Amino acid sequence: MITYPSTHGIFEQAIREMIEAVHTHGGLVYMDGANMNAQIGWTNPAFIGADVCHLNLHKSFASPHGGGGPGAGAVCCTEVLADCLPTEDKNRVSSALYGNANMALISWGYIAMMGAEGLRHATAAAILSANYMAKRLKEAYGIVYTGATGRVGHELILDCRQFHAIGITEADIAKRLMDYGYHAPTLSFPVHGTLMVEPTESESLAEIDRFCDVLLQIRQEIADIESGKADKEDNVLVNAPHPEYEVVADEWTHPYSRKQAAYPTDFVAQNKFWCPVGRVDNGFGDRNLVARF
Ligand SMILES: *Cc1c(COP(=O)(O)O)cnc(C)c1O
C-alpha cells in the first residue's frame, strides 16, 4: 500500500519501478487516493501501475479537504481484482451499497461544474500554491522534504525542530497562530516537530501571502527570544493563545504588551477572532473526558 504523492508531500520519481518490482514478485499494489488533488488531469493511478485505489471523494472531489466529511471513497481496480468489488449480493462490507450516497452528489456537482480543464487547473494551482509557500518560508523554517527537482508536491512540511533548543515547540507556533486568527495546520505529522501545510487550490494569493507573512512574523518573534530581546519563559509564544479574559483583565504581568499579545498586526486588529480559552494541557485533555452541561 502506498500513498502517492507521498505523505511527505513529494512525488517519488522511482514510483513506477517500485510498483513494477512488487508486480515482478507476484504482489499487487493499493494506492491510497488521499492525495489525488496533486494528480487529477496530470497523471493517474493507472499510469504508475496501481492495481486498486480509492478516491477520497470528500477531499479531491469536493472543496478541499471536504470541510471535514462525511467521507466516501469510490474504489477503482484493474481486471485482476474486478471480482472482489462489491455488488448487490456479494463482497458487501456495509449495508448501503453506495456508502454515503449524499457525498457522491457533492462530488458529481463539483466535477460537473469544474469540467476537465477546471480539474486540471485546480491540481496545477494546488501544486503551485504549495511550492510558492515553500519558497517563501524555506529560509525562515526549512522544508523537511523536497523531491529530486528541489520542489514539493501539493503540501510542504515546515521544520520547527531547530527551535526546541530555546524552548519553543511546534505546538507553541500552532497556538500562537490562533492569536493571529488562524487554525493551525497539521501538527507533528507525518514528522514529529513539524507543521505540514496543504494550501490546496482554494486560497487566493492574497490569503496565502497573508498566512506566509504571519508565519514569518512568528519566526521574528522566535528570533527575538533567540537574541534575548524577548524573555525565554514569558513570551508571546509560550503563553499563546491570549484569550479576551486575559487581555482585558485588570492585571497584566507579562513583559510584552497587550497589543503585541492580541493585535500583533493591523489585519488582526481589524477582524479579531478571540480564542475562547487560553492554553490547555493537551495531554490531560486527551486522556480525560469531561462532559459538562
Ligand atoms: C485523509 C487521509 C486519509 C484518510 O482519509 P479519510 O477517508 O478522510 O479518512 C488517509 N491517508 C492519507 C494520506 C490522508 O491524507
Side-chain angles (χ1 to χ4, degrees):
M1 185 165 182
I2 49 138
T3 304
Y4 184 74
S6 77
T7 304
H8 292 159
I10 56 171
F11 290 96
E12 258 102 12
Q13 291 208 318
I15 188 73
R16 294 179 79 184
E17 290 158 54
M18 293 180 206
I19 291 178
E20 206 184 303
V22 175
H23 286 162
T24 304
H25 294 279
L28 298 173
V29 175
Y30 188 106
M31 193 203 85
D32 179 341
N35 291 339
M36 280 304 291
N37 209 36
Q39 292 196 40
I40 301 165
W42 299 88
T43 183
N44 60 65
F47 176 76
I48 63 168
D51 300 283
V52 52
C53 72
H54 70 269
L55 305 175
N56 302 50
L57 296 181
H58 52 291
K59 291 185 172 178
S60 322
F61 297 93
S63 57
H65 257 179
V75 177
C76 316
C77 69
T78 58
E79 262 169 44
V80 185
L81 290 165
D83 279 346
C84 303
L85 288 176
T87 63
E88 277 293 346
D89 43 39
K90 72 177 174 68
N91 301 335
R92 295 276 291 269
V93 292
S94 74
S95 55
L97 183 58
Y98 296 106
N100 176 15
N102 276 339
M103 183 61 229
L105 294 180
I106 297 173
S107 295
W108 180 82
Y110 175 83
I111 292 166
M113 285 185 277
M114 293 286 281
E117 256 325 293
L119 291 170
R120 190 173 147 84
H121 183 73
T123 300
I127 293 175
L128 183 62
S129 299
N131 279 283
Y132 176 79
M133 282 196 71
K135 178 117 182 148
R136 280 206 64 191
L137 299 170
K138 187 176 164 185
E139 211 157 293
Y141 287 88
I143 307 301
V144 180
Y145 291 102
T146 50
T149 58
R151 302 202 192 284
V152 296
H154 66 310
E155 56 194 0
L156 57 142
I157 302 178
L158 299 171
D159 208 343
C160 306
R161 294 169 294 195
Q162 74 266 30
F163 311 133
H164 291 182
I166 56 155
I168 297 299
T169 68
E170 52 290 348
D172 296 324
I173 298 171
K175 303 286 185 187
R176 181 61 175 153
L177 277 168
M178 289 190 219
D179 284 333
Y180 286 86
Y182 284 100
H183 188 293
T186 306
L187 178 72
S188 278
F189 180 86
V191 183
H192 199 70
T194 67
L195 290 167
M196 181 168 75
V197 188
E198 181 176 352
T200 77
E201 76 278 13
S202 308
E203 304 298 344
S204 65
L205 178 59
E207 188 54 46
I208 289 177
D209 269 333
R210 185 160 39 187
F211 186 55
C212 289
D213 290 344
V214 164
L215 282 168
L216 293 173
Q217 189 166 329
I218 291 175
R219 180 64 186 88
Q220 185 56 49
E221 291 172 349
I222 296 170
D224 288 346
I225 301 164
E226 280 168 325
S227 71
K229 201 173 146 202
D231 192 89
K232 260 193 141 117
E233 265 108 51
D234 191 355
N235 57 62
V236 286
L237 278 130
V238 297
N239 295 329
H242 297 84
E244 194 170 19
Y245 60 81
E246 274 178 17
V247 174
V248 303
D250 290 336
E251 195 185 20
W252 180 262
T253 58
H254 304 300
Y256 52 90
S257 71
R258 288 174 150 105
K259 182 164 184 276
Q260 245 180 310
Y263 289 172
T265 70
D266 282 349
F267 89 79
V268 179
Q270 282 158 22
N271 192 16
K272 177 69 182 175
F273 165 79
W274 286 104
C275 191
V277 64
R279 184 73 67 106
V280 295
D281 182 337
N282 288 338
F284 182 88
D286 288 348
R287 290 186 192 97
N288 297 278
L289 175 68
V290 181
R292 199 162 56 191
F293 300 97

